[in-house]
Amino acid sequence: MKIAITSTGNTSDSEIDPRFGRAKFFMVYDDEKDSYEAIDNVQNVQAAHGAGPQATQSVADAGCGAIITGHVGPNAFNALKMAKIEVFTVESGTVREAVDAYKAGKLKAVDSADVEGGWV
Amino acid sequence: MKNDSLAISIASGKGGTGKTTLAVNLAAVAGEVTLLDCDVEEPNDHLFLDVEWGESRESCVPFPRVDTNLCTGCGECRRVCRFNAVVVLGKQPLIYPELCHGCGACFIACPEKAITEVDRAVGIVERGTFREIELVHGRLNIGEVKGPPLIEAVKDAAAHNGRAAIIDAPPGAGCPAVEAVRNTDYCVLVTEPTPFGIHDLEVAVEMARQLGVKHGVVINRSDIGDDRAVRFCEERGITLLGQIPFDREAAEAYSRGELLVDALPKYRETFGELWQSIIKEARGA
């Protein structure tokens, strides 16, 4: 399965970005190949509205079955649910640390939005 | 253009400068006039008028409905949407009503003709009369974010009735204010002589300029700050239509929901003269 981690940079050592819709990058981790691929989210960072749903579109198009991020708003959450993408949250750390925690089963799936839309 | 069918918008960058006070009192001295309260998020002109209400009509915007039997999930609707309102997940389009502007691009773009237009109500347009004033205002549904289509409906409701129109615009210089001021013959910008007032006046002047609407300034509570509003107008060559000093009695009458021209007779002259200078400026004399 592929997992998208919201990231402030385009490497697996970058700090995670707590925002989903307006994350700088999505680092897509493929657990079969144990490899990372960066998706630049610049288009959504600059979007006036609707960054969350469009970010969902990006990770769905990339074939991800789960995301790891800091917070998720209601619009994004609905889209993620519809796309059957699981949502995991972390407080901080690097992309690689988040993936390790996920693999170790330390991350809990969240089942509702935890912030208001457009919170940052 | 007929002089008696002039459309005069009353706008300001900053809120609370006195747009409503100006709009209702000018309407009260202007004779036969249509007053359009375009502050659809919080219309309040009616609070100052003993309105006899008439027609009330729901106002709708087009919203896309997808026939899932016809949809192939091609994503063309998503590609053409400028407002990020469409996502296509698992071959199913998901449309966010609060992001959709009802522009209609997706109806046209859909190769399967799977999208039809349905009406989505955004608010109501209400009409009423008070003396020689015909009042039209819009009330946006609670939680609704799209004011401009309702503002357009309010303005349409009074188009071509042959009367002069006074358009009370919402504050700011965003889409709702732009929609209210657009295509008017003249825009009165109300400001107060404070740093906040001037800062936002500058933004409002720029809005009027870009819309190509002739404009002038009224300084309300003209004695509470300094002379920077006057200097601003002089430096920019903007017509200063009038200055209204702070008056505690006027503030009290306002707080009771009274027209200043009724409560304090001296304001009949103030607003009468102001209306005449606005008309003169609007005609370009």
Side-chain angles (χ1 to χ4, degrees):
Chain A
M1 188 176 75
K2 286 182 180 175
I3 305 157
I5 303 93
T6 55
S7 172
T8 55
N10 60 0
T11 74
S12 56
D13 294 320
S14 307
E15 281 290 312
I16 66 133
D17 194 323
R19 304 166 302 178
F20 174 61
R22 293 178 201 278
K24 280 227 170 70
F25 290 92
F26 297 112
M27 291 302 297
V28 176
Y29 174 73
D30 187 333
D31 68 353
E32 281 165 29
K33 297 182 195 155
D34 191 31
S35 67
Y36 289 92
E37 195 193 332
I39 302 175
D40 194 331
N41 192 37
V42 63
Q43 225 178 332
N44 285 332
V45 170
Q46 290 166 357
H49 300 285
Q54 295 303 321
T56 305
Q57 183 85 59
S58 301
V59 297
D61 290 350
C64 298
I67 62 157
I68 305 174
T69 186
H71 302 278
V72 178
N75 279 348
F77 196 84
N78 285 343
L80 288 160
K81 202 167 150 189
M82 184 164 163
K84 300 190 171 63
I85 295 172
E86 275 196 291
V87 180
F88 297 91
T89 57
V90 288
E91 289 290 313
S92 58
T94 65
V95 170
R96 193 183 297 279
E97 284 164 2
V99 169
D100 289 344
Y102 170 79
K103 285 206 257 184
K106 287 180 187 162
L107 301 185
K108 251 181 69 183
V110 295
D111 54 9
S112 65
D114 66 342
V115 287
E116 292 284 313
W119 66 285
V120 275
Chain B
M1 182 190 307
K2 269 168 60 191
N3 291 334
D4 61 356
S5 62
L6 286 171
I8 311 291
S9 50
I10 317 276
S12 75
K14 186 183 173 298
T17 55
K19 284 181 300 300
T20 295
T21 306
L22 227 68
V24 294
N25 284 288
L26 286 173
V29 298
E32 280 201 352
V33 71
T34 308
L35 175 60
L36 304 172
D37 190 349
C38 287
D39 191 356
V40 298
E41 286 179 34
E42 196 61 78
N44 59 355
D45 288 5
H46 64 282
L47 299 177
F48 300 91
L49 315 170
D50 191 7
V51 180
E52 194 172 313
W53 291 104
E55 183 199 44
S56 167
R57 207 162 29 112
E58 199 163 59
S59 184
C60 298
V61 295
F63 184 72
R65 184 162 61 197
V66 181
D67 183 336
T68 49
N69 294 319
L70 295 175
C71 175
T72 61
C74 71
E76 196 57 19
C77 47
R78 183 206 164 215
R79 196 184 62 77
V80 298
C81 182
R82 282 188 57 192
F83 303 103
N84 284 342
V86 187
V87 289
V88 181
L89 301 166
K91 298 264 169 202
Q92 281 293 314
L94 175 62
I95 300 163
Y96 287 83
E98 67 275 25
L99 297 174
C100 173
H101 282 54
C103 72
C106 58
F107 311 134
I108 299 166
C110 179
E112 309 301 328
K113 304 266 173 281
I115 304 178
T116 47
E117 266 186 55
V118 293
D119 280 341
R120 189 172 73 82
V122 290
I124 57 168
V125 175
E126 294 176 313
R127 317 174 75 120
T129 52
F130 170 72
R131 295 182 196 158
E132 290 183 282
I133 303 169
E134 187 192 10
L135 175 72
V136 185
H137 76 188
R139 279 202 288 130
L140 197 63
N141 287 347
I142 290 172
E144 180 57 57
V145 289
K146 269 177 292 300
L150 183 57
I151 292 170
E152 206 181 335
V154 170
K155 288 174 81 177
D156 282 351
H160 315 299
N161 68 0
R163 290 172 158 216
I166 295 174
I167 292 134
D168 189 5
C175 297
V178 166
E179 184 59 48
V181 173
R182 202 161 59 92
N183 293 332
T184 57
D185 298 300
Y186 195 82
C187 180
V188 179
L189 297 165
V190 192
T191 190
E192 57 184 30
T194 63
F196 298 114
I198 304 307
H199 176 273
D200 292 356
L201 173 64
E202 208 165 340
V203 178
V205 164
E206 191 53 33
M207 170 185 74
R209 259 172 38 89
Q210 289 198 23
L211 288 170
V213 175
K214 272 201 295 182
H215 50 277
V217 167
V218 170
I219 305 173
N220 194 18
R221 293 178 224 114
S222 55
D223 50 351
I224 62 165
D226 51 28
D227 66 342
R228 71 178 85 195
V230 178
R231 277 191 285 129
F232 175 85
C233 292
E234 280 170 3
E235 281 161 20
R236 300 290 182 96
I238 300 166
T239 309
L240 184 52
L241 296 158
Q243 302 195 52
I244 305 170
F246 177 75
D247 176 354
R248 192 186 161 90
E249 281 186 310
E252 284 172 2
Y254 175 92
S255 71
R256 286 192 301 266
E258 291 170 8
L259 287 170
L260 302 190
V261 295
D262 287 353
L264 304 159
K266 63 176 176 181
Y267 283 106
R268 290 221 137 246
E269 204 181 324
T270 310
F271 286 101
E273 280 170 11
L274 184 55
W275 180 243
Q276 288 314 316
S277 10
I278 292 167
I279 292 294
K280 205 174 124 198
E281 284 291 320
R283 283 176 188 163

Short mmCIF file of all heavy atoms in Angstrom, two decimals, chain A residues 13-52:
data_model
loop_
_atom_site.label_atom_id
_atom_site.label_comp_id
_atom_site.label_asym_id
_atom_site.label_seq_id
_atom_site.Cartn_x
_atom_site.Cartn_y
_atom_site.Cartn_z
N ASP A 13 13.61 12.77 5.23
CA ASP A 13 14.13 13.34 6.48
C ASP A 13 13.51 14.70 6.79
O ASP A 13 13.84 15.33 7.80
CB ASP A 13 15.65 13.48 6.40
CG ASP A 13 16.33 12.11 6.34
OD1 ASP A 13 15.86 11.21 7.06
OD2 ASP A 13 17.27 11.95 5.55
N SER A 14 12.61 15.17 5.93
CA SER A 14 11.96 16.47 6.19
C SER A 14 10.99 16.33 7.35
O SER A 14 10.47 15.25 7.62
CB SER A 14 11.18 16.91 4.95
OG SER A 14 12.01 16.90 3.80
N GLU A 15 10.75 17.48 8.02
CA GLU A 15 9.76 17.53 9.09
C GLU A 15 8.37 17.37 8.47
O GLU A 15 8.13 17.84 7.36
CB GLU A 15 9.81 18.88 9.79
CG GLU A 15 10.94 19.04 10.80
CD GLU A 15 10.73 18.19 12.05
OE1 GLU A 15 9.61 18.24 12.60
OE2 GLU A 15 11.67 17.48 12.44
N ILE A 16 7.48 16.73 9.20
CA ILE A 16 6.12 16.63 8.67
C ILE A 16 5.46 18.02 8.70
O ILE A 16 5.82 18.88 9.50
CB ILE A 16 5.25 15.61 9.45
CG1 ILE A 16 5.00 16.10 10.88
CG2 ILE A 16 5.82 14.23 9.43
CD1 ILE A 16 3.54 15.98 11.26
N ASP A 17 4.55 18.23 7.79
CA ASP A 17 3.76 19.46 7.75
C ASP A 17 2.43 19.15 8.43
O ASP A 17 1.74 18.21 8.02
CB ASP A 17 3.53 19.88 6.28
CG ASP A 17 3.03 21.31 6.15
OD1 ASP A 17 2.23 21.73 7.02
OD2 ASP A 17 3.42 21.99 5.19
N PRO A 18 2.07 19.89 9.50
CA PRO A 18 0.83 19.54 10.21
C PRO A 18 -0.44 19.80 9.40
O PRO A 18 -1.51 19.29 9.73
CB PRO A 18 0.87 20.44 11.46
CG PRO A 18 1.77 21.56 11.10
CD PRO A 18 2.79 21.01 10.13
N ARG A 19 -0.33 20.58 8.33
CA ARG A 19 -1.51 20.88 7.51
C ARG A 19 -1.68 19.82 6.45
O ARG A 19 -0.69 19.32 5.89
CB ARG A 19 -1.33 22.24 6.83
CG ARG A 19 -1.07 23.36 7.80
CD ARG A 19 -0.58 24.60 7.09
NE ARG A 19 0.64 24.34 6.34
CZ ARG A 19 1.25 25.25 5.60
NH1 ARG A 19 0.76 26.46 5.50
NH2 ARG A 19 2.35 24.95 4.95
N PHE A 20 -2.92 19.49 6.13
CA PHE A 20 -3.15 18.52 5.06
C PHE A 20 -3.34 19.23 3.71
O PHE A 20 -2.50 19.13 2.83
CB PHE A 20 -4.36 17.63 5.39
CG PHE A 20 -4.71 16.71 4.25
CD1 PHE A 20 -3.79 15.77 3.80
CD2 PHE A 20 -5.94 16.79 3.62
CE1 PHE A 20 -4.10 14.93 2.73
CE2 PHE A 20 -6.25 15.96 2.55
CZ PHE A 20 -5.33 15.03 2.11
N GLY A 21 -4.42 19.99 3.59
CA GLY A 21 -4.74 20.62 2.30
C GLY A 21 -3.63 21.50 1.77
O GLY A 21 -3.35 21.53 0.58
N ARG A 22 -3.03 22.25 2.68
CA ARG A 22 -1.99 23.20 2.27
C ARG A 22 -0.58 22.75 2.67
O ARG A 22 0.30 23.58 2.89
CB ARG A 22 -2.30 24.58 2.83
CG ARG A 22 -3.54 25.18 2.21
CD ARG A 22 -3.90 26.53 2.78
NE ARG A 22 -5.30 26.82 2.53
CZ ARG A 22 -5.76 27.32 1.38
NH1 ARG A 22 -4.94 27.58 0.40
NH2 ARG A 22 -7.05 27.55 1.22
N ALA A 23 -0.38 21.45 2.78
CA ALA A 23 0.97 20.94 3.05
C ALA A 23 1.88 21.32 1.89
O ALA A 23 1.44 21.38 0.74
CB ALA A 23 0.93 19.43 3.20
N LYS A 24 3.16 21.57 2.19
CA LYS A 24 4.10 21.92 1.11
C LYS A 24 4.25 20.74 0.14
O LYS A 24 4.19 20.91 -1.07
CB LYS A 24 5.47 22.28 1.71
CG LYS A 24 5.52 23.70 2.27
CD LYS A 24 6.80 24.39 1.77
CE LYS A 24 6.78 25.86 2.10
NZ LYS A 24 6.91 26.10 3.54
N PHE A 25 4.50 19.54 0.72
CA PHE A 25 4.69 18.36 -0.12
C PHE A 25 3.90 17.18 0.45
O PHE A 25 3.60 17.16 1.64
CB PHE A 25 6.17 17.94 -0.13
CG PHE A 25 7.07 18.88 -0.87
CD1 PHE A 25 7.70 19.92 -0.19
CD2 PHE A 25 7.29 18.72 -2.23
CE1 PHE A 25 8.52 20.79 -0.86
CE2 PHE A 25 8.14 19.59 -2.90
CZ PHE A 25 8.74 20.64 -2.23
N PHE A 26 3.61 16.22 -0.42
CA PHE A 26 3.20 14.90 0.05
C PHE A 26 4.35 13.96 -0.27
O PHE A 26 4.80 13.89 -1.41
CB PHE A 26 1.93 14.43 -0.68
CG PHE A 26 0.75 15.31 -0.43
CD1 PHE A 26 0.21 16.08 -1.45
CD2 PHE A 26 0.18 15.38 0.84
CE1 PHE A 26 -0.86 16.91 -1.21
CE2 PHE A 26 -0.89 16.20 1.07
CZ PHE A 26 -1.41 16.97 0.05
N MET A 27 4.85 13.28 0.78
CA MET A 27 5.84 12.24 0.54
C MET A 27 5.06 10.93 0.46
O MET A 27 4.40 10.54 1.42
CB MET A 27 6.86 12.19 1.68
CG MET A 27 7.79 13.39 1.74
SD MET A 27 8.73 13.65 0.21
CE MET A 27 9.70 12.14 0.16
N VAL A 28 5.09 10.30 -0.70
CA VAL A 28 4.33 9.06 -0.88
C VAL A 28 5.26 7.88 -0.63
O VAL A 28 6.25 7.68 -1.35
CB VAL A 28 3.71 8.99 -2.29
CG1 VAL A 28 3.00 7.64 -2.49
CG2 VAL A 28 2.74 10.14 -2.49
N TYR A 29 4.94 7.12 0.43
CA TYR A 29 5.75 5.96 0.79
C TYR A 29 5.10 4.69 0.25
O TYR A 29 3.90 4.48 0.45
CB TYR A 29 5.88 5.89 2.32
CG TYR A 29 6.59 4.64 2.79
CD1 TYR A 29 7.97 4.50 2.61
CD2 TYR A 29 5.88 3.60 3.39
CE1 TYR A 29 8.62 3.35 3.02
CE2 TYR A 29 6.52 2.45 3.82
CZ TYR A 29 7.90 2.32 3.62
OH TYR A 29 8.54 1.19 4.03
N ASP A 30 5.88 3.91 -0.46
CA ASP A 30 5.39 2.63 -1.00
C ASP A 30 5.97 1.52 -0.15
O ASP A 30 7.19 1.28 -0.18
CB ASP A 30 5.84 2.51 -2.46
CG ASP A 30 5.23 1.29 -3.14
OD1 ASP A 30 4.91 0.31 -2.42
OD2 ASP A 30 5.06 1.32 -4.37
N ASP A 31 5.13 0.81 0.62
CA ASP A 31 5.69 -0.16 1.56
C ASP A 31 6.16 -1.45 0.89
O ASP A 31 6.93 -2.21 1.46
CB ASP A 31 4.72 -0.45 2.73
CG ASP A 31 3.46 -1.18 2.30
OD1 ASP A 31 3.27 -1.35 1.07
OD2 ASP A 31 2.68 -1.57 3.18
N GLU A 32 5.75 -1.67 -0.37
CA GLU A 32 6.25 -2.86 -1.07
C GLU A 32 7.69 -2.63 -1.54
O GLU A 32 8.54 -3.51 -1.45
CB GLU A 32 5.36 -3.18 -2.28
CG GLU A 32 4.08 -3.90 -1.86
CD GLU A 32 3.03 -3.90 -2.96
OE1 GLU A 32 3.41 -3.85 -4.15
OE2 GLU A 32 1.83 -3.93 -2.61
N LYS A 33 7.93 -1.42 -2.04
CA LYS A 33 9.28 -1.10 -2.57
C LYS A 33 10.15 -0.44 -1.51
O LYS A 33 11.34 -0.21 -1.74
CB LYS A 33 9.16 -0.16 -3.77
CG LYS A 33 8.42 -0.76 -4.95
CD LYS A 33 8.41 0.25 -6.10
CE LYS A 33 7.39 -0.14 -7.16
NZ LYS A 33 6.94 1.04 -7.92
N ASP A 34 9.54 -0.08 -0.35
CA ASP A 34 10.23 0.69 0.69
C ASP A 34 10.89 1.94 0.09
O ASP A 34 12.07 2.21 0.33
CB ASP A 34 11.28 -0.20 1.40
CG ASP A 34 11.81 0.48 2.67
OD1 ASP A 34 11.04 1.24 3.30
OD2 ASP A 34 12.99 0.27 3.01
N SER A 35 10.10 2.68 -0.70
CA SER A 35 10.66 3.86 -1.36
C SER A 35 9.74 5.07 -1.19
O SER A 35 8.56 4.92 -0.86
CB SER A 35 10.84 3.58 -2.86
OG SER A 35 9.56 3.44 -3.46
N TYR A 36 10.31 6.27 -1.38
CA TYR A 36 9.56 7.51 -1.24
C TYR A 36 9.51 8.25 -2.57
O TYR A 36 10.47 8.22 -3.34
CB TYR A 36 10.23 8.43 -0.22
CG TYR A 36 10.12 7.95 1.21
CD1 TYR A 36 11.11 7.14 1.76
CD2 TYR A 36 9.05 8.33 1.99
CE1 TYR A 36 11.02 6.71 3.07
CE2 TYR A 36 8.95 7.91 3.31
CZ TYR A 36 9.94 7.10 3.84
OH TYR A 36 9.84 6.69 5.14
N GLU A 37 8.38 8.95 -2.77
CA GLU A 37 8.27 9.81 -3.94
C GLU A 37 7.61 11.11 -3.48
O GLU A 37 6.66 11.07 -2.71
CB GLU A 37 7.40 9.13 -4.99
CG GLU A 37 7.49 9.72 -6.37
CD GLU A 37 6.36 9.20 -7.28
OE1 GLU A 37 5.87 8.08 -7.04
OE2 GLU A 37 5.96 9.95 -8.17
N ALA A 38 8.14 12.26 -3.92
CA ALA A 38 7.58 13.55 -3.47
C ALA A 38 6.57 14.09 -4.48
O ALA A 38 6.79 14.04 -5.69
CB ALA A 38 8.71 14.55 -3.28
N ILE A 39 5.44 14.58 -3.96
CA ILE A 39 4.48 15.31 -4.81
C ILE A 39 4.45 16.75 -4.32
O ILE A 39 4.17 17.00 -3.14
CB ILE A 39 3.04 14.72 -4.70
CG1 ILE A 39 3.01 13.24 -5.09
CG2 ILE A 39 2.07 15.53 -5.56
CD1 ILE A 39 1.64 12.61 -4.89
N ASP A 40 4.75 17.67 -5.21
CA ASP A 40 4.72 19.10 -4.85
C ASP A 40 3.26 19.54 -4.79
O ASP A 40 2.51 19.34 -5.74
CB ASP A 40 5.49 19.90 -5.91
CG ASP A 40 5.79 21.31 -5.42
OD1 ASP A 40 5.01 21.84 -4.60
OD2 ASP A 40 6.81 21.88 -5.86
N ASN A 41 2.86 20.16 -3.68
CA ASN A 41 1.45 20.57 -3.50
C ASN A 41 1.27 22.07 -3.71
O ASN A 41 0.32 22.68 -3.21
CB ASN A 41 0.99 20.16 -2.10
CG ASN A 41 -0.52 20.26 -1.91
OD1 ASN A 41 -1.28 19.99 -2.83
ND2 ASN A 41 -0.93 20.69 -0.72
N VAL A 42 2.17 22.70 -4.46
CA VAL A 42 2.19 24.16 -4.59
C VAL A 42 0.85 24.73 -5.06
O VAL A 42 0.41 25.78 -4.60
CB VAL A 42 3.36 24.63 -5.50
CG1 VAL A 42 3.19 24.11 -6.92
CG2 VAL A 42 3.49 26.14 -5.50
N GLN A 43 0.18 24.00 -5.95
CA GLN A 43 -1.10 24.47 -6.48
C GLN A 43 -2.14 24.68 -5.38
O GLN A 43 -2.86 25.66 -5.37
CB GLN A 43 -1.63 23.44 -7.46
CG GLN A 43 -2.15 24.04 -8.74
CD GLN A 43 -2.62 22.94 -9.66
OE1 GLN A 43 -2.14 21.81 -9.61
NE2 GLN A 43 -3.58 23.28 -10.50
N ASN A 44 -2.18 23.72 -4.43
CA ASN A 44 -3.16 23.82 -3.36
C ASN A 44 -2.75 24.80 -2.28
O ASN A 44 -3.60 25.41 -1.63
CB ASN A 44 -3.41 22.45 -2.72
CG ASN A 44 -4.25 21.58 -3.62
OD1 ASN A 44 -5.06 22.08 -4.40
ND2 ASN A 44 -4.05 20.29 -3.52
N VAL A 45 -1.42 24.95 -2.07
CA VAL A 45 -0.95 25.91 -1.07
C VAL A 45 -1.48 27.29 -1.43
O VAL A 45 -1.85 28.08 -0.57
CB VAL A 45 0.60 25.90 -1.00
CG1 VAL A 45 1.10 27.06 -0.15
CG2 VAL A 45 1.11 24.58 -0.42
N GLN A 46 -1.55 27.57 -2.73
CA GLN A 46 -1.97 28.90 -3.17
C GLN A 46 -3.47 29.01 -3.45
O GLN A 46 -3.96 30.09 -3.75
CB GLN A 46 -1.21 29.27 -4.45
CG GLN A 46 0.27 29.52 -4.17
CD GLN A 46 1.10 29.55 -5.43
OE1 GLN A 46 0.60 29.32 -6.53
NE2 GLN A 46 2.38 29.84 -5.28
N ALA A 47 -4.19 27.90 -3.35
CA ALA A 47 -5.62 27.94 -3.67
C ALA A 47 -6.38 28.82 -2.68
O ALA A 47 -6.07 28.84 -1.48
CB ALA A 47 -6.20 26.53 -3.64
N ALA A 48 -7.36 29.58 -3.19
CA ALA A 48 -8.16 30.43 -2.30
C ALA A 48 -9.03 29.58 -1.39
O ALA A 48 -9.13 29.81 -0.20
CB ALA A 48 -9.02 31.38 -3.14
N HIS A 49 -9.67 28.59 -1.96
CA HIS A 49 -10.56 27.70 -1.21
C HIS A 49 -10.41 26.29 -1.73
O HIS A 49 -9.93 26.08 -2.85
CB HIS A 49 -12.03 28.11 -1.39
CG HIS A 49 -12.32 29.49 -0.93
ND1 HIS A 49 -12.41 29.82 0.40
CD2 HIS A 49 -12.52 30.62 -1.63
CE1 HIS A 49 -12.68 31.10 0.49
NE2 HIS A 49 -12.74 31.62 -0.72
N GLY A 50 -10.87 25.34 -0.96
CA GLY A 50 -10.98 23.97 -1.46
C GLY A 50 -9.68 23.21 -1.52
O GLY A 50 -9.55 22.26 -2.29
N ALA A 51 -8.69 23.62 -0.71
CA ALA A 51 -7.40 22.94 -0.73
C ALA A 51 -7.53 21.50 -0.24
O ALA A 51 -6.91 20.59 -0.80
CB ALA A 51 -6.38 23.71 0.10
N GLY A 52 -8.34 21.28 0.79
CA GLY A 52 -8.48 19.94 1.38
C GLY A 52 -8.99 18.91 0.40
O GLY A 52 -8.37 17.86 0.20
#
